[in-house]
Amino acid sequence: MFNDIESAQVTSSGWIQSAELNWRKNEGWSPITWLAGFRWVELNSQVDVDYAFANLVPFGSGNIDTAVGNNLYGAQLRAGPCRCR
């Protein structure tokens, strides 16, 4: 099926980073505990493909390089019963 491809090499990599910050507050006089938070996640990936066809005249060789980066953000807010003693 792919007998016209002489060689191909694929290299891929990916990495993830994240951070989260939460704040919790309870007033001594109130039966409610407040929780607020924020989170960030970064997901990146990269793929590099080098290829060469057996018949270089019409098709030749080449390189495909792709890179994708995603930043995801989230927030939360909660009020719940105090579990304090």
Side-chain angles (χ1 to χ4, degrees):
M1 181 174 191
F2 296 107
N3 59 0
D4 57 344
I5 297 175
E6 180 76 20
S7 66
Q9 179 179 347
V10 177
T11 307
S12 67
S13 63
W15 57 97
I16 187 170
Q17 299 182 82
S18 66
E20 183 170 344
L21 178 66
N22 290 305
W23 175 75
R24 191 172 126 174
K25 179 71 171 160
N26 175 258
E27 299 294 340
W29 52 268
S30 174
I32 295 176
T33 298
W34 292 95
L35 175 72
F38 176 79
R39 76 180 49 96
W40 160 76
V41 177
E42 179 183 42
L43 174 63
N44 297 296
S45 63
Q46 183 173 355
V47 175
D48 184 38
V49 179
D50 294 313
Y51 61 90
F53 285 91
N55 187 358
L56 293 177
V57 176
F59 302 112
S61 63
N63 175 275
I64 300 171
D65 188 17
T66 63
V68 176
N70 294 293
N71 284 294
L72 310 169
Y73 303 95
Q76 63 185 4
L77 180 61
R78 178 180 183 260
C82 178
R83 295 190 176 107
C84 310
R85 299 219 180 230

